[in-house]
Amino acid sequence: MAGEKGYTYRALDLKEIQNQLHTRFFANDDRLIFVPIIDSTNIRAMQLARMGAGEGTVVLTDSQTAGKGRLGRRWVDVSGCNVLSSTVLRPSFPPYLLVMLASLAVVDAISETCDVVATIKWPNDVLVGNRKVAGILIETSHDHNGQLIAIMGIGVNVNGYPLQKSADEIETSQDEYLPGTQATTLETESGYTVSREALIASLLQHIESSYLALQQEAQETVATAQGSISRLVREQWRNQLSTLGRPIQVRQGNMLLSGVAEDVNDDGELLLRDHSGNRVTISWGDIGYPTT
Ligand code: BTN
């Protein structure tokens, strides 16, 4: 079947994922759920989690009809070309560490699978150069026992070409206000077709290993995840941030702030030095890299 600009795609090969997967239990056996077309893998994963699905349950699809992006936006895909995955987690550590863990896992999986160098735009967009190749949406809730549920949704633009937005989408998309937020795909960046199955297997291995290490640390220290594993995750995430040290624009709803991204604090918040010399702590928003 032909996708964007004639790209030929095929359905996700679950056997191939299972062959390449070396996780302890993430996505093993009935923890791997594939639905060819779905509204949103995050929606399905949250439903399953509320019904008691265990951590490490992974929902995959070839296409979403109502993919969810950050800050209430839509996440649009080209059928059969992307990684669209949601993982059920029940973290005993603060969710901001999941943001770091997920973006690091995507960067590492990309580097292992297709030798493309990716970086992180605060807080968790994954870029190649100045173009976005992957997005992460972490949604939280509580189950009937009051235990925290987190759904880690990851969308990676793998094969084909970047989606051209319709005029209507461009008009309503906040991304378009911000330079440095156009999309790319791994195929565009590497010059060859990339195995979605290999990327998924690598991604899940990275997620599982960091998640289990953080869970163990949280349970041992019975504290707010201040141990050495969480410190390492923070440091690795900070080192991968392409945002630090450069002029940025921050969009928060209708408000636009600008200045220099100086650093991040222990909770992952961004510390912006604005043009009046004030240090502003940014806990949410979209970052753009001005071109002039
Ligand atoms: C962003 O806005 O950058 C986050 C995009 C997250 C998209 C992924 S695709 C798989 C999962 N299911 C969803 O509906 N959204 C996430």
Side-chain angles (χ1 to χ4, degrees), residues 275-287:
H275 296 308
S276 315
N278 300 316
R279 213 181 206 201
V280 185
T281 303
I282 308 286
S283 57
W284 67 281
D286 281 316
I287 302 299

Side-chain angles (χ1 to χ4, degrees), residues 62-83:
D62 272 331
S63 186
Q64 299 184 126
T65 54
K68 295 164 78 172
R70 282 178 64 235
L71 306 174
R73 286 192 295 258
R74 279 196 308 146
W75 183 261
V76 183
D77 62 84
V78 180
S79 180
C81 289
N82 307 103
V83 165

Side-chain angles (χ1 to χ4, degrees), residues 20-27 56 58 85 87 89 93 97-114 136 152 154 197-215 229 232-233 236 240:
Q20 300 200 33
L21 195 65
H22 302 292
T23 51
R24 279 167 59 188
F25 61 90
F26 275 36
V58 176
S85 131
T87 303
L89 302 169
F93 53 85
L97 285 167
L98 287 178
V99 169
M100 300 176 180
L101 179 168
S103 45
L104 284 170
V106 174
V107 167
D108 289 342
I110 288 175
S111 133
E112 266 175 28
T113 313
C114 59
I136 293 157
M152 180 181 287
I154 298 180
E197 291 79 4
L199 185 64
I200 289 168
S202 171
L203 188 57
L204 293 175
Q205 272 153 228
H206 284 289
I207 293 171
E208 184 191 68
S209 109
S210 309
Y211 175 78
L212 293 182
L214 283 167
Q215 282 291 72
I229 310 277
L232 186 68
V233 169
Q236 287 175 340
Q240 289 289 350

Side-chain angles (χ1 to χ4, degrees), residues 1-12 62 78-83 157-162 185-188 190-197:
M1 222 183 304
E4 288 275 299
K5 297 193 188 164
Y7 173 74
T8 303
Y9 62 80
R10 56 179 173 72
L12 207 53
D62 272 331
V78 180
S79 180
C81 289
N82 307 103
V83 165
N157 304 330
V158 181
N159 290 316
Y161 300 88
T185 68
L186 293 177
E187 182 177 19
T188 306
S190 65
Y192 50 81
T193 302
V194 173
S195 162
R196 292 189 294 152
E197 291 79 4

Side-chain angles (χ1 to χ4, degrees), residues 39-43 64 66-71 73-75 83-86 124-125 132 134-137 153-156:
D39 49 2
S40 153
T41 54
N42 262 34
I43 293 176
Q64 299 184 126
K68 295 164 78 172
R70 282 178 64 235
L71 306 174
R73 286 192 295 258
R74 279 196 308 146
W75 183 261
V83 165
L84 304 161
S85 131
S86 297
N124 59 4
D125 282 348
K132 179 163 168 172
I136 293 157
L137 177 66
I154 298 180
V156 188

